[in-house]
Amino acid sequence: MSIEKMLEEGAAGFGVSLSPEDTGKFVRYLEILKEWNERINLTALKDDGEIAVSHFLDSLSAAKFVRGAGSLLDIGSGAGFPGIPLKIAMPELDVTLVESVHKKTAFMNEVIRELGLTGIRAVWGRAEDESNGVRRGAFPRVISRAVSGVKEVLALSEPYLSPGGSIILMRGRRGEEEWEQAGEEVHARYRIAHKLRFTLPYGGQTRVIFVVEPASR
Ligand code: SAM
């Protein structure tokens, strides 16, 4: 099966409709990723199909929690996951990607340029750095995939939330265990509004997504 077909069918499984133009963007993204991956470490995956499933489709699995939100902050985006795939699928979404490794930020800005995406930017900086230029209290959704511990990433995310906003945690198959281990303080401070446990298509891995809200509201 072609990568385009895998993406189109796999995305449909997450309620995302990709046009031929969109799948073309993913194919170009894949090419740039493989090119840059020879020089800087962006992904351990080498196979096109694996990248399409474990990075692109996995990123799109969060689409239903982001749709209609207006703007999204992706903390620790690495090679652009999940923020760039979500932007390709939902062009109306304004996306900010914050990443502490300069070369990864340069890579994301190159992808943004090459794909002709607008309303998206990669910011070089640490999420906890007050002077990183990213506005606090301004994002209805703050997302992260595979970034540090649950407790740490919640603390990094919360300052950026706009009133009524939610934090989306994309975790691996041990997601529930990680939530439990985050401890009582976290469980008292936040509540899980939604949890989705699923297996990626085409023989992919199991993942867990948590949509979390501050419990105080
Ligand atoms: N989200 C991407 C993904 O799912 O492929 C990358 C995951 S990688 C395991 C974690 C990334 O978070 C790394 O690129 C790292 O540089 C970045 N990171 C870790 N702590 C950060 C922080 N405090 N602020 C910004 N970026 C951070």
Side-chain angles (χ1 to χ4, degrees):
M1 189 189 284
S2 70
I3 294 297
E4 286 91 337
K5 195 79 194 149
M6 274 177 107
L7 287 166
E8 191 199 331
E9 283 187 9
F14 294 119
V16 174
S17 164
L18 294 180
S19 68
E21 195 189 327
D22 297 332
T23 54
K25 286 182 181 158
F26 278 109
V27 170
R28 183 70 192 117
Y29 189 177
L30 178 64
E31 285 168 3
I32 308 169
L33 178 62
K34 288 198 296 184
E35 210 180 288
W36 278 61
N37 210 34
E38 286 173 15
R39 286 176 282 136
I40 66 169
N41 187 19
L42 292 167
T43 176
L45 302 180
K46 302 274 181 246
D47 179 74
D48 289 1
E50 274 185 283
I51 293 173
V53 174
S54 298
H55 289 320
F56 296 161
L57 291 177
D58 186 33
S59 295
L60 295 180
S61 69
K64 70 171 178 178
F65 301 120
V66 171
R67 191 171 284 118
S71 64
L72 174 75
L73 174 67
D74 179 5
I75 293 182
S77 323
F81 310 124
I84 295 179
L86 288 169
K87 175 68 189 180
I88 296 172
M90 293 181 276
E92 69 287 357
L93 191 68
D94 189 90
V95 178
T96 300
L97 313 146
V98 61
E99 166 56 52
S100 59
V101 174
H102 186 259
K103 284 176 184 168
K104 295 182 182 180
T105 314
F107 167 76
M108 289 190 279
N109 277 318
E110 172 75 5
V111 171
I112 290 167
R113 242 191 327 272
E114 276 283 325
L115 268 49
L117 303 175
T118 55
I120 179 168
R121 69 230 39 100
V123 175
W124 174 36
R126 296 196 67 82
E128 62 273 41
D129 180 355
E130 295 282 338
S131 60
N132 63 16
V134 183
R135 273 185 62 204
R136 267 65 180 171
F139 296 88
R141 298 287 183 278
V142 179
I143 200 164
S144 61
R145 189 183 83 147
V147 178
S148 62
V150 165
K151 185 175 180 177
E152 291 74 20
V153 81
L154 286 170
L156 288 178
S157 305
E158 195 177 346
Y160 292 99
L161 277 187
S162 57
S166 28
I167 301 169
I168 305 170
L169 304 176
M170 302 182 73
R171 315 294 302 185
R173 68 185 161 82
R174 294 183 58 247
E176 286 93 348
E177 232 173 285
E178 292 172 349
W179 176 265
E180 280 314 310
Q181 285 166 2
E184 278 174 28
E185 206 183 304
V186 164
H187 302 152
R189 191 176 174 93
Y190 303 95
R191 67 175 200 96
I192 299 174
H194 303 281
K195 190 192 81 169
L196 179 66
R197 185 179 183 85
F198 64 98
T199 301
L200 285 165
Y202 308 110
Q205 295 174 347
T206 296
R207 309 278 212 225
V208 182
I209 298 178
F210 294 98
V211 181
V212 174
E213 295 171 352
S216 55
R217 67 173 196 243

